[in-house]
Amino acid sequence: MKAIRTRGGLSVRLDVRTTVVVTLLVVAALVSGVVLIGTGDFDIPAADVVRTLFGNGDAGQEFIINDLRLPRVLVGLLVGAALGLGGALFQSIARNPLGSPDVLGLGQGSTAGALTMIVLFQGSAVEVAGGALVGGLVTGLAIYLLAWKRGVHGYRLILVGIGVSAFITAINGYLLTKADFVDAARSVVWMTGSLNGRDWEQVWPLLVLCAVLVPLVLVYGRPLRMLEMGDDVANSLGVRVERTRFVLLGASVLLTAAATAAAGPVSFVALTAPQLARRLTRSPGPNLMPAMFMGATLLIVADWASQRAFGADQLPVGVVTGVLGGVYLLWLLVTQRKAGRI
């Protein structure tokens, strides 16, 4: 930790290792994005991609990059960042590495909203995304209200979330049994989680939401760090515990629901990104910025792997993150058990 003093007398504490990690993750996300933009049936060298992004490419490259591939990469970066930040908030508030939107049922809630629009109303892509957003928000509010008992505490939040997740999973199964063949196939594709076909219509809402919520969350970074020490300590330090928890949970639910609405329920990014970021920074606390950029990098790299690592068979990105995240979850459970925490 290093203290930096300005001429005006202000003092800023700077964690050098965390700063280096964030910088490297930003570079990794940008480089991965450039590589992914150049990947496809018509490969484009990275130098040409960069030149085209700055407006110096030919007409063919500008069409392929700006109209076809850039929106998909931007959606991937924004979805990964939103899931990473949302997961860090949940885990910090719950004070548990398993306190993830994947475990608490927010993804299942968004899925229920999307399936309702697909199966019952044959909704368009925009209506399905809206249904997913509403489903995630309603699920988050239900978990908060059911977990409330003179405040919301970590283990109660996780237990209620697991119960709600199981209930909504049953509803999703019922909706699938009521769907005809076409709607069922469409539902399964959406439930996998994919960046295929994403365009500028998904980019702008996500970009606006992140532009509003990310600064808000960072402003609450210091109270969140105090919440991790317990409600009594946070209260004694002047933190309005329940208001802070409600605002941060609301921001996390919005980020997760919006990401799911844009790309489907991409699994395990929200669980793994904060943990990997914390291991890299070796810093206590929520590690909000590292988790956000780790999520963006993970999703872009997973999308590249889904397109290139399996030959001619391209997989939805949710399949790749599910496999990697499942392995990571098993490893996390084993290490937590050996440490005597579960």
Side-chain angles (χ1 to χ4, degrees), residues 220 223-224 226-227 231 234-248:
Y220 276 86
L224 179 61
M226 295 177 183
L227 278 180
D231 289 2
N235 265 319
S236 66
L237 293 173
V239 177
R240 297 184 178 182
V241 172
E242 288 307 322
R243 188 181 75 172
T244 299
R245 186 179 285 125
F246 180 80
V247 169
L248 293 176

Short mmCIF file of all heavy atoms in Angstrom, two decimals, residues 220 223-224 226-227 231 234-248:
data_model
loop_
_atom_site.label_atom_id
_atom_site.label_comp_id
_atom_site.label_asym_id
_atom_site.label_seq_id
_atom_site.Cartn_x
_atom_site.Cartn_y
_atom_site.Cartn_z
N TYR A 220 -19.71 3.50 -3.15
CA TYR A 220 -20.04 2.73 -1.95
C TYR A 220 -18.95 1.71 -1.60
O TYR A 220 -19.18 0.84 -0.77
CB TYR A 220 -21.38 1.99 -2.15
CG TYR A 220 -22.59 2.83 -1.85
CD1 TYR A 220 -23.15 3.66 -2.81
CD2 TYR A 220 -23.18 2.80 -0.58
CE1 TYR A 220 -24.28 4.43 -2.53
CE2 TYR A 220 -24.30 3.56 -0.29
CZ TYR A 220 -24.84 4.38 -1.27
OH TYR A 220 -25.94 5.13 -0.98
N PRO A 223 -17.95 1.98 2.34
CA PRO A 223 -18.94 1.36 3.23
C PRO A 223 -19.04 -0.15 3.04
O PRO A 223 -19.26 -0.87 4.02
CB PRO A 223 -20.24 2.06 2.82
CG PRO A 223 -19.82 3.37 2.25
CD PRO A 223 -18.52 3.09 1.56
N LEU A 224 -18.88 -0.63 1.81
CA LEU A 224 -18.94 -2.08 1.57
C LEU A 224 -17.80 -2.79 2.29
O LEU A 224 -18.00 -3.86 2.88
CB LEU A 224 -18.89 -2.36 0.07
CG LEU A 224 -18.92 -3.83 -0.35
CD1 LEU A 224 -20.21 -4.50 0.12
CD2 LEU A 224 -18.78 -3.96 -1.86
N MET A 226 -16.44 -1.84 5.00
CA MET A 226 -16.78 -1.86 6.43
C MET A 226 -17.86 -2.89 6.73
O MET A 226 -17.85 -3.52 7.79
CB MET A 226 -17.25 -0.47 6.87
CG MET A 226 -16.17 0.59 6.79
SD MET A 226 -16.78 2.23 7.24
CE MET A 226 -15.30 3.22 6.96
N LEU A 227 -18.79 -3.10 5.80
CA LEU A 227 -19.83 -4.11 6.00
C LEU A 227 -19.23 -5.50 6.15
O LEU A 227 -19.78 -6.35 6.84
CB LEU A 227 -20.82 -4.10 4.83
CG LEU A 227 -21.94 -3.08 4.85
CD1 LEU A 227 -22.82 -3.23 3.61
CD2 LEU A 227 -22.78 -3.23 6.11
N ASP A 231 -22.04 -6.01 10.85
CA ASP A 231 -22.98 -4.90 10.96
C ASP A 231 -22.68 -3.99 12.15
O ASP A 231 -22.80 -2.76 12.05
CB ASP A 231 -24.41 -5.44 11.08
CG ASP A 231 -24.91 -6.05 9.77
OD1 ASP A 231 -24.12 -6.08 8.80
OD2 ASP A 231 -26.06 -6.49 9.72
N ALA A 234 -19.69 -1.82 11.37
CA ALA A 234 -20.05 -0.83 10.35
C ALA A 234 -20.93 0.27 10.94
O ALA A 234 -20.76 1.46 10.64
CB ALA A 234 -20.77 -1.52 9.18
N ASN A 235 -21.88 -0.12 11.79
CA ASN A 235 -22.73 0.88 12.45
C ASN A 235 -21.91 1.83 13.30
O ASN A 235 -22.13 3.04 13.31
CB ASN A 235 -23.79 0.17 13.31
CG ASN A 235 -25.10 0.00 12.59
OD1 ASN A 235 -25.55 0.90 11.88
ND2 ASN A 235 -25.72 -1.16 12.74
N SER A 236 -20.97 1.28 14.04
CA SER A 236 -20.15 2.11 14.92
C SER A 236 -19.27 3.08 14.14
O SER A 236 -18.86 4.12 14.67
CB SER A 236 -19.28 1.23 15.82
OG SER A 236 -18.31 0.52 15.05
N LEU A 237 -19.00 2.75 12.87
CA LEU A 237 -18.19 3.63 12.02
C LEU A 237 -19.04 4.59 11.19
O LEU A 237 -18.52 5.30 10.32
CB LEU A 237 -17.31 2.78 11.09
CG LEU A 237 -16.22 1.94 11.78
CD1 LEU A 237 -15.54 1.03 10.78
CD2 LEU A 237 -15.20 2.85 12.45
N GLY A 238 -20.34 4.61 11.46
CA GLY A 238 -21.21 5.58 10.81
C GLY A 238 -21.83 5.13 9.50
O GLY A 238 -22.41 5.95 8.77
N VAL A 239 -21.74 3.84 9.18
CA VAL A 239 -22.34 3.33 7.94
C VAL A 239 -23.81 3.02 8.18
O VAL A 239 -24.17 2.37 9.17
CB VAL A 239 -21.61 2.05 7.48
CG1 VAL A 239 -22.29 1.47 6.23
CG2 VAL A 239 -20.16 2.35 7.19
N ARG A 240 -24.68 3.51 7.29
CA ARG A 240 -26.09 3.14 7.33
C ARG A 240 -26.23 1.76 6.68
O ARG A 240 -26.36 1.63 5.47
CB ARG A 240 -26.93 4.18 6.61
CG ARG A 240 -26.88 5.55 7.28
CD ARG A 240 -27.80 6.53 6.60
NE ARG A 240 -27.78 7.83 7.25
CZ ARG A 240 -28.52 8.87 6.88
NH1 ARG A 240 -29.33 8.75 5.83
NH2 ARG A 240 -28.43 10.02 7.53
N VAL A 241 -26.23 0.75 7.53
CA VAL A 241 -26.02 -0.62 7.08
C VAL A 241 -27.08 -1.07 6.09
O VAL A 241 -26.78 -1.51 4.97
CB VAL A 241 -25.95 -1.58 8.28
CG1 VAL A 241 -25.94 -3.03 7.81
CG2 VAL A 241 -24.73 -1.28 9.12
N GLU A 242 -28.35 -0.99 6.48
CA GLU A 242 -29.39 -1.54 5.62
C GLU A 242 -29.56 -0.74 4.34
O GLU A 242 -29.83 -1.30 3.28
CB GLU A 242 -30.72 -1.63 6.39
CG GLU A 242 -30.74 -2.73 7.43
CD GLU A 242 -30.34 -4.09 6.86
OE1 GLU A 242 -30.73 -4.40 5.72
OE2 GLU A 242 -29.63 -4.84 7.56
N ARG A 243 -29.42 0.57 4.41
CA ARG A 243 -29.53 1.36 3.19
C ARG A 243 -28.40 1.02 2.23
O ARG A 243 -28.61 0.85 1.02
CB ARG A 243 -29.52 2.86 3.50
CG ARG A 243 -29.85 3.71 2.26
CD ARG A 243 -29.80 5.19 2.56
NE ARG A 243 -28.43 5.68 2.69
CZ ARG A 243 -28.11 6.97 2.81
NH1 ARG A 243 -29.08 7.89 2.85
NH2 ARG A 243 -26.86 7.35 2.91
N THR A 244 -27.18 0.91 2.77
CA THR A 244 -26.03 0.55 1.93
C THR A 244 -26.22 -0.82 1.32
O THR A 244 -25.99 -1.04 0.13
CB THR A 244 -24.74 0.57 2.77
OG1 THR A 244 -24.55 1.89 3.29
CG2 THR A 244 -23.55 0.16 1.93
N ARG A 245 -26.67 -1.78 2.14
CA ARG A 245 -26.87 -3.15 1.64
C ARG A 245 -27.95 -3.18 0.56
O ARG A 245 -27.82 -3.85 -0.46
CB ARG A 245 -27.23 -4.07 2.79
CG ARG A 245 -27.30 -5.55 2.39
CD ARG A 245 -27.65 -6.41 3.59
NE ARG A 245 -26.51 -6.56 4.48
CZ ARG A 245 -26.51 -6.28 5.77
NH1 ARG A 245 -27.60 -5.79 6.33
NH2 ARG A 245 -25.43 -6.47 6.50
N PHE A 246 -29.04 -2.43 0.77
CA PHE A 246 -30.13 -2.41 -0.20
C PHE A 246 -29.68 -1.81 -1.53
O PHE A 246 -29.98 -2.34 -2.61
CB PHE A 246 -31.32 -1.62 0.37
CG PHE A 246 -32.49 -1.54 -0.57
CD1 PHE A 246 -33.37 -2.61 -0.67
CD2 PHE A 246 -32.71 -0.41 -1.34
CE1 PHE A 246 -34.46 -2.54 -1.54
CE2 PHE A 246 -33.79 -0.35 -2.20
CZ PHE A 246 -34.67 -1.41 -2.31
N VAL A 247 -28.94 -0.70 -1.46
CA VAL A 247 -28.46 -0.05 -2.70
C VAL A 247 -27.52 -0.98 -3.46
O VAL A 247 -27.65 -1.14 -4.69
CB VAL A 247 -27.77 1.28 -2.36
CG1 VAL A 247 -27.04 1.83 -3.59
CG2 VAL A 247 -28.78 2.30 -1.86
N LEU A 248 -26.60 -1.61 -2.75
CA LEU A 248 -25.62 -2.45 -3.43
C LEU A 248 -26.25 -3.73 -3.95
O LEU A 248 -25.90 -4.21 -5.04
CB LEU A 248 -24.46 -2.77 -2.48
CG LEU A 248 -23.59 -1.57 -2.11
CD1 LEU A 248 -22.53 -1.96 -1.10
CD2 LEU A 248 -22.93 -0.98 -3.35
#
